[in-house]
Amino acid sequence: MYKAIVINKDESGYRANLQTLDESALPEGDVTVKVDYSCLNYKDGLAITGKGPVVRKFPMTPGIDLAGSVVSSEHPGFAVGDAVVLNGWGVGEGHPGGLAQMARLKGDWLIPLPAGVTPRQAMAVGTAGYTAMLCVLGLEKSGVTPDQGEILVTGAAGGVGSVAVAILARLGYTVVASSGRPEETDYLKTLGAAEVMDRKLLSEPGKPLARERWAGAVDTVGGHTLANVCASTKYLGTVTACGLAGGADLPATVMPFILRGVTLKGIDSVMAPKAARLEAWERIGVDLDMDKLELMVNEIGLDEAIETAGRLLEGKVRGRTIVNVNR
Ligand code: NDP
């Protein structure tokens, strides 16, 4: 028997609750994992509350991330006792996920827990942190270097934003953090932000081109914010777009792209190929200060995940929420 959050949708409505399940409830898969930690990402918030069409099958256990150890394996790459991490691949959306004490998965989705990283730290990073690293790699691969000027991070006090600020600052970039929470200014500066700006300065409709300020950007917000970020990015700068916390639309013009050669680079973590994942996790082990990571962490038990999911979507949760599924 194991505990799991289960989402149902039927004539009684959309609801999530904590249940005790028999192992026969585990899905198909060639590797069974005893989960140590999972976490809450924005997408988990959408899945648990039903505020976004994330879950594709019911009943469903949410949790797009997990870290734990292999208890049985028919996959040649994994043996009993191996410590593993899973991020994305539609887990927690179409295949039962990490907000449970047990999970059965395709071995091809798993990666070995990076050396020196604990399961707890891996979930403090989670999809949010690994996506932040994909954004940083996106900037680097576009040739953005610390000497070119300021890098903007939007939604900075959230999960992706917090990790992006910490990594970029450690790499020597001058980071400007955009946030709607002035009370998090000290937190963001401790993570390494040189300046914190009010997100209202970016969220209203703006001009097609504005004063050139950013050498690069990590945008988790979308909507007018992303349009304004592109409009104020310097000649040949790069904006990595990974999120929609402020909206899925993009009310922009082509001007930054055709007059300033700005690159708008899309970042997806869910179906990212294994090589990109391994590269991102390796760099996380090197370029993310684990003491800074700990400052972002709020640890909860499985029984608190449903309530916390609602607060996460309201933008009331700072940094990263990890779920100790055995607490
Ligand atoms: P969080 O909820 O932790 O952070 C989102 C942050 O966005 C909030 O903390 C807040 O930051 C800001 N925000 C919230 N609402 C608004 C709003 N209406 N207008 C402007 N800013 C707002 O989420 P995550 O960090 O986990 O995810 C961030 C985004 O990235 C989400 O949209 C998520 O879906 C996406 N994402 C995409 C991935 C991919 O593969 N492309 C992977 C992971 C995440 P503050 O208070 O500082 O303003």
Side-chain angles (χ1 to χ4, degrees):
M1 306 294 279
Y2 66 100
K3 284 187 194 161
I5 292 180
V6 180
I7 301 172
N8 273 291
K9 186 186 177 190
D10 52 28
E11 54 289 348
S12 313
Y14 192 103
R15 61 201 184 280
N17 52 37
L18 184 60
Q19 295 185 10
T20 301
L21 303 176
D22 187 86
E23 282 189 29
S24 61
L26 288 169
E28 298 268 294
D30 51 7
V31 179
T32 306
V33 176
K34 182 187 167 300
V35 180
D36 291 326
Y37 279 93
S38 184
C39 60
L40 286 182
N41 296 278
Y42 194 85
K43 193 182 257 181
D44 301 312
L46 293 174
I48 291 170
T49 59
K51 289 199 171 136
V54 168
V55 178
R56 301 194 295 274
K57 249 173 37 183
F58 300 91
M60 180 55 59
T61 289
I64 65 172
D65 289 319
L66 64 86
S69 54
V70 172
V71 291
S72 76
S73 173
E74 287 158 25
H75 188 282
F78 296 98
V80 173
D82 285 355
V84 291
V85 184
L86 173 123
N87 307 113
W89 292 117
V91 172
E93 304 179 49
H95 183 102
L99 288 166
Q101 292 172 323
M102 301 285 288
R104 186 168 292 144
L105 306 144
K106 277 194 191 168
D108 289 348
W109 294 338
L110 297 170
I111 60 166
L113 186 72
V117 177
T118 65
R120 186 178 183 280
Q121 287 168 333
M123 287 299 98
V125 173
T127 284
Y130 136 70
T131 302
M133 184 48 100
L134 291 176
C135 291
V136 172
L137 289 167
L139 293 176
E140 286 182 350
K141 286 173 187 173
S142 283
V144 179
T145 49
D147 58 305
Q148 291 169 2
E150 295 168 310
I151 307 293
L152 176 69
V153 176
T154 64
V160 177
S162 293
V163 180
V165 169
I167 294 172
L168 287 163
R170 173 139 158 169
L171 289 170
Y173 291 94
T174 304
V175 184
V176 177
S178 162
S179 176
R181 289 182 270 180
E183 67 276 18
E184 300 300 355
T185 298
D186 286 348
Y187 162 74
L188 289 165
K189 289 198 166 166
T190 308
L191 294 184
E195 184 184 327
V196 178
M197 68 184 270
D198 186 339
R199 77 182 189 201
K200 280 200 205 113
L201 296 171
L202 293 165
S203 59
E204 299 300 322
K207 294 182 184 156
L209 287 174
R211 181 175 73 83
E212 291 179 57
R213 179 160 183 195
W214 319 115
V218 172
D219 179 63
T220 71
V221 171
H224 287 298
T225 298
L226 178 55
N228 288 327
V229 172
C230 292
S232 50
T233 294
K234 287 201 220 180
Y235 197 82
L236 292 186
T238 295
V239 177
T240 53
C242 71
L244 43 57
D249 56 340
L250 180 50
T253 76
V254 297
M255 294 309 193
F257 313 113
I258 64 172
L259 295 180
R260 291 183 180 161
V262 167
T263 298
L264 177 58
K265 206 164 195 170
I267 301 293
D268 169 59
S269 66
V270 180
M271 302 308 287
K274 199 157 186 169
R277 291 166 187 264
L278 291 170
E279 181 185 17
W281 274 102
E282 192 198 322
R283 286 287 305 271
I284 284 164
V286 177
D287 294 320
L288 176 60
D289 180 337
M290 291 296 157
D291 293 335
K292 296 259 165 79
L293 180 66
E294 194 54 39
L295 295 176
M296 304 172 200
V297 168
N298 161 42
E299 180 171 329
I300 61 171
L302 206 45
D303 57 345
E304 296 161 279
I306 295 170
E307 185 267 340
T308 309
R311 294 200 303 115
L312 183 97
L313 289 193
E314 288 165 19
K316 291 185 179 153
V317 176
R318 173 174 104 178
R320 298 281 301 134
T321 301
I322 56 173
V323 183
N324 180 345
V325 299
N326 300 304
R327 189 159 100 176

